[in-house]
Amino acid sequence: MFQVLMFSGAMFANNSGKNYEVFMRLVTVLILFFIGFNSSSAASVSYEITNILGSRWQYNYSVYNNSLANDIEEFLIFFDHNAYANLTVGGTPINWDPLVIQPDALLPDDGYFDVLALGSGIVPGTSLPGFLIEFDYLFSGTPGSQYFEVRDSITFDLLESGNTVLTNGSVPEPNSIFLLIIGFVPLFYRISTKGK
């Protein structure tokens, strides 16, 4: 990665000091973008999606405690009242207590899947799969990502939040994205100076 940066920087340096200064500013912005894009969250939730029959679907969630200081003892996953109906618990790991609140389009209010540890929670650096919920999906196509929150089970303080991620999604890794962007920098420079 840094070899690409050095090659590109040398190409700019051979032309003029101003172009090199612009290049270095661009590289700085891209590095900051990469650092921000590549940072992981303290907790995350991934899902697998299965079509049961027609508009009936099932999410299978895995919860990851990447770096929270405490065990994960409670989390909530929200279901948009415009997209989901008839939520039912399909199963949870032993010693986890699920609560389902139905989405209500008349209020309007989103539903949620609230799961509480009855014993020890998910310790830092580990994950726990097997949180299943079935539902009717009100749109065509495949259901996608949802908003989640990890809460303190006593104070209900928000510890982490984000969106669920498809387990086998085809999202490029941040390193690939970064290299692709850096690879286009010399190309755009050549195109911009070709007409001069």
Side-chain angles (χ1 to χ4, degrees):
M1 173 173 55
F2 290 107
Q3 291 173 347
V4 172
L5 289 175
M6 292 302 119
F7 171 74
S8 301
M11 186 179 79
F12 279 95
N14 291 336
N15 290 315
S16 76
K18 184 177 180 185
N19 287 341
Y20 184 74
E21 182 180 330
V22 169
F23 171 76
M24 291 310 294
R25 285 185 183 174
L26 178 63
V27 167
T28 302
V29 168
L30 291 174
I31 288 172
L32 292 174
F33 169 78
F34 172 70
I35 291 169
F37 189 78
N38 200 24
S39 62
S40 63
S41 58
S44 59
V45 178
S46 68
Y47 68 90
E48 294 176 6
I49 186 78
T50 304
N51 182 245
I52 296 172
L53 180 64
S55 64
R56 191 75 178 161
W57 293 82
Q58 180 185 67
Y59 279 122
N60 182 354
Y61 298 106
S62 295
V63 180
Y64 299 84
N65 186 346
N66 300 323
S67 60
L68 281 176
N70 303 322
D71 294 357
I72 295 176
E73 296 177 342
E74 182 175 17
F75 67 93
L76 299 92
I77 300 174
F78 292 85
F79 291 80
D80 185 337
H81 64 277
N82 293 313
Y84 298 92
N86 303 318
L87 306 176
T88 58
V89 175
T92 60
I94 296 173
N95 293 326
W96 285 82
D97 185 30
L99 170 68
V100 170
I101 301 298
Q102 296 297 325
D104 191 338
L106 297 177
L107 286 178
D109 199 15
D110 293 341
Y112 57 88
F113 179 40
D114 183 352
V115 189
L116 176 68
L118 300 177
S120 61
I122 304 169
V123 298
T126 64
S127 64
L128 185 62
F131 298 94
L132 307 173
I133 190 159
E134 296 180 9
F135 56 91
D136 292 334
Y137 190 56
L138 306 178
F139 295 141
S140 61
T142 304
S145 181
Q146 303 156 276
Y147 177 72
F148 76 88
E149 295 179 347
V150 174
R151 296 273 179 175
D152 184 290
S153 62
I154 297 171
T155 64
F156 208 60
D157 289 338
L158 180 65
L159 302 176
E160 184 69 42
S161 64
N163 289 312
T164 60
V165 177
L166 182 61
T167 300
N168 293 324
S170 59
V171 178
E173 294 182 20
N175 291 342
S176 301
I177 293 171
F178 181 69
L179 289 174
L180 183 64
I181 291 170
I182 292 298
F184 279 115
V185 169
L187 179 65
F188 290 137
Y189 176 75
R190 295 286 279 187
I191 291 170
S192 69
T193 59
K194 195 171 193 174
K196 292 181 182 179

